[in-house]
Amino acid sequence: MHHLNERQKASVTWISSPLLVLAGAGSGKTSVITQKIAWLIQECGYQARHIAAVTFTNKAAREMKERVAKLVSGPVAKGLIVATFHNLGLNIIRNEAEKLGLRPGFTIFDQEDARSLIRDLITREYPDTPQEPDELLHQFSAWKNDLLTADQVRRQALTQDELHTAELFERYMAYLRAYNAVDFDDLILLPVQLFRQHPEVLERWQQRIRYLLVDEYQDTNHSQYELVKLLVGLHARFTVVGDDDQSIYAWRGARPENLVRLQKDFPGLKVIKLEQNYRSTARILKAANVLIANNPHVFEKQLWSDFGMGETIRVIRCANEEAETERIVTDIIDQHLKRRAKYKDFAILYRSNHFSRLLEMKLQAYQVPYRLSGGTSFFARAEIKDAMAYLRLAVNPDDDAAFLRVVNVPRREIGPTTLEGLSQCAHAHQLSLFRAINDPDLGEFVRDRGIAHLKDFRDLILDAQKHLEQDDDPVPALRKLFIHVDYEDWLHQTSASPAQAERRMKNVHLLLDQIGRMMEYDPLDDEPLGFEEAINKLVLRDMLDQQSDEDDEDRVQLLTLHASKGLEYPHVFIMGLEEDILPHRNSIESDQVEEERRLMYVGITRARQTLTLTLCAQRKQYGEKIEPTPSRFLDELPQEDLEFEGFGQADPERSKKIARATLDALFEDLGRST
């Protein structure tokens, strides 16, 4: 541990009581967690299979596992759990499915599946519902994160509208049970309910996990806090790492006050602060410290670094949004030439996604390569969703969302009338759509021709199930399934070109190959998986990080402030420093400015060498031109460290010097290339 500072070493070696490591931005928290895992195994006598490290994204879990492998490997590392909260929850549910009333082969509903279920529920049973499916989905998620049952929600309802929403929630939960399915929030909710209702199961898991480490603790919601509290039990052998100043996910249930709750629930809690930053210049850290000091704090801390003061922070006021994007892009080109900086060294951060549209056009116009975060996920592609639906249905025939996705893909002459009749039969007899095909009363709802087509589809799925159960290697059988349904022909019918159809079919084969590899060995779980487990793992992994892999290409990075958390760049631009944008209008109106300030703090601390803040004198909003007020956050920064431009009379001499320097750099670059 020679490369750790004194506080990092203290964090690694402290095991006498529960520990909270208050880790500021760029303070080396991942090193602390990974070194502590090694310390527990090598110095404290813990077996790896009794240690669990939990974080929020697959990317973070992968990085943690790779770092641990460099410190501890071989037989002594066997059984170590390094996983996301939801992956841990899935493992608990998988092992305790029977006690939870789930049958083997249960399905995980992603957001689209859940939204589709709510939409169908409204259409069939609650046509007068005023809320949109997305609004209901958000409300249901909030209730689950707060560990509220349908019965509790119903009892708390004060108005007829609230009672109506509670009834919808109850029906939604009933349908999930009928489909032998769980949604994303259930992956935490169900283990908590299980542990509360079955002490003997909880004790078994407490014996399994004897030391727990939790990363990004400030992002935990109520249900995740309770899961941690139950798992650590009375012995309270744990280390949690977090930073209340970087809690920016209240909109999805995160509670930074969970850091404070730890002191109340665990009076012996030891607190160690990591304040030395290994990322940014002293001036950038000073700006971050001064800004965040405007928020109330239970834990005070001051980031510092050994990197010197660095360059002043530029605040540039532009005429309008067109000029703002123009200035940022030309400035990047300028620095690319002068500093010999790579394009991937630059990041442009913004509060809302709509900023990216104008930026993309401007970057394309100047032929500057860029990467927009949040691109299309592999699992969001139509052909992959089709393939996954077939596989999910083969694992769990009661999965109505999967059934509806592929029952007529490719076309099988199963029209809306047939499906409506099947749905009525299923509803009348409380069956899944697949099981309703066998119902003797189906003829009352569907014509004979429609029943024949439905039975053909049923036989197709049953044949796939038979091969999955009997074959040692199911992948060849799955390939035959897609050949048998003429899926490649279907892709040729629905694609813009033969080349596109071939690429899409290649994606399906890639998916099947990945399932085969996971069944041989799954690197995240360090063990082979069954077919059902492999399917659920793939669904969950995509839901967690949407294939957010590292991008090593030389491209300017465009991303929201929320998406920037955990990342760092030599040169950072933050756009739209205006009231109603940053801080956002909704946050101002709902008195959530403290979270917006934390978001700004996160943006500032992404920068390593230079930071530029931009705003507009005039901006188009809802078709009208307005003169926005500069963000209050600009006033909260140390003014002596800011260099303002565009707030008064222009300095033509300064502009000439900048232009001359850029031209000199350009000519120098051209000279080198020739």
Side-chain angles (χ1 to χ4, degrees), residues 56 216-221 224 246-249 254 565:
F56 279 85
E216 303 285 9
Y217 198 72
Q218 76 282 347
D219 292 337
T220 55
N221 57 34
Q224 289 160 343
Q246 294 189 74
S247 181
I248 58 174
Y249 296 118
K565 187 167 174 292

Side-chain angles (χ1 to χ4, degrees), residues 250-361:
W251 50 277
R252 67 183 189 200
R255 295 187 177 185
E257 60 267 27
N258 283 348
L259 291 167
V260 181
R261 282 184 65 191
L262 278 174
Q263 288 186 313
K264 296 176 181 176
D265 290 339
F266 302 96
L269 184 74
K270 168 87 169 174
V271 179
I272 298 176
K273 299 176 186 177
L274 303 184
E275 296 172 296
Q276 182 174 359
N277 176 281
Y278 294 92
R279 175 188 299 160
S280 307
T281 65
R283 197 183 307 275
I284 289 169
L285 296 179
K286 178 184 173 185
N289 288 331
V290 171
L291 173 82
I292 207 65
N294 290 277
N295 273 4
H297 284 82
V298 174
F299 306 103
E300 296 291 342
K301 68 178 186 306
Q302 287 282 313
L303 294 178
W304 60 276
S305 81
D306 288 331
F307 295 146
M309 284 303 289
E311 298 182 27
T312 54
I313 297 167
R314 296 186 301 160
V315 182
I316 302 173
R317 188 170 183 242
C318 304
N320 51 45
E321 58 264 46
E322 178 82 22
E324 183 183 34
T325 52
E326 175 94 17
R327 177 56 194 267
I328 291 172
V329 173
T330 55
D331 206 271
I332 288 173
I333 296 171
D334 181 54
Q335 293 190 54
H336 173 66
L337 292 168
K338 286 182 186 173
R339 298 176 187 269
R340 314 300 301 163
K342 296 179 179 178
Y343 281 123
K344 68 179 180 181
D345 291 342
F346 298 90
I348 308 172
L349 313 183
Y350 35 80
R351 178 62 178 82
S352 303
N353 273 311
H354 71 267
F355 277 88
S356 66
R357 299 170 196 159
L358 197 54
L359 271 172
E360 284 194 83
M361 287 191 284

Side-chain angles (χ1 to χ4, degrees), residues 57 66 220 355 469 634:
T57 68
E66 287 166 4
T220 55
F355 277 88
E469 291 169 2
L634 291 173

Side-chain angles (χ1 to χ4, degrees), residues 14 25 29 87 94 133 225 232 258 376 381 423 510 545 569 603:
W14 183 268
K29 65 182 178 65
N87 227 323
R94 197 174 71 198
Y225 181 91
V232 301
N258 283 348
T376 303
R381 301 172 191 273
S423 178
L510 186 66
D545 63 8
Y569 304 94

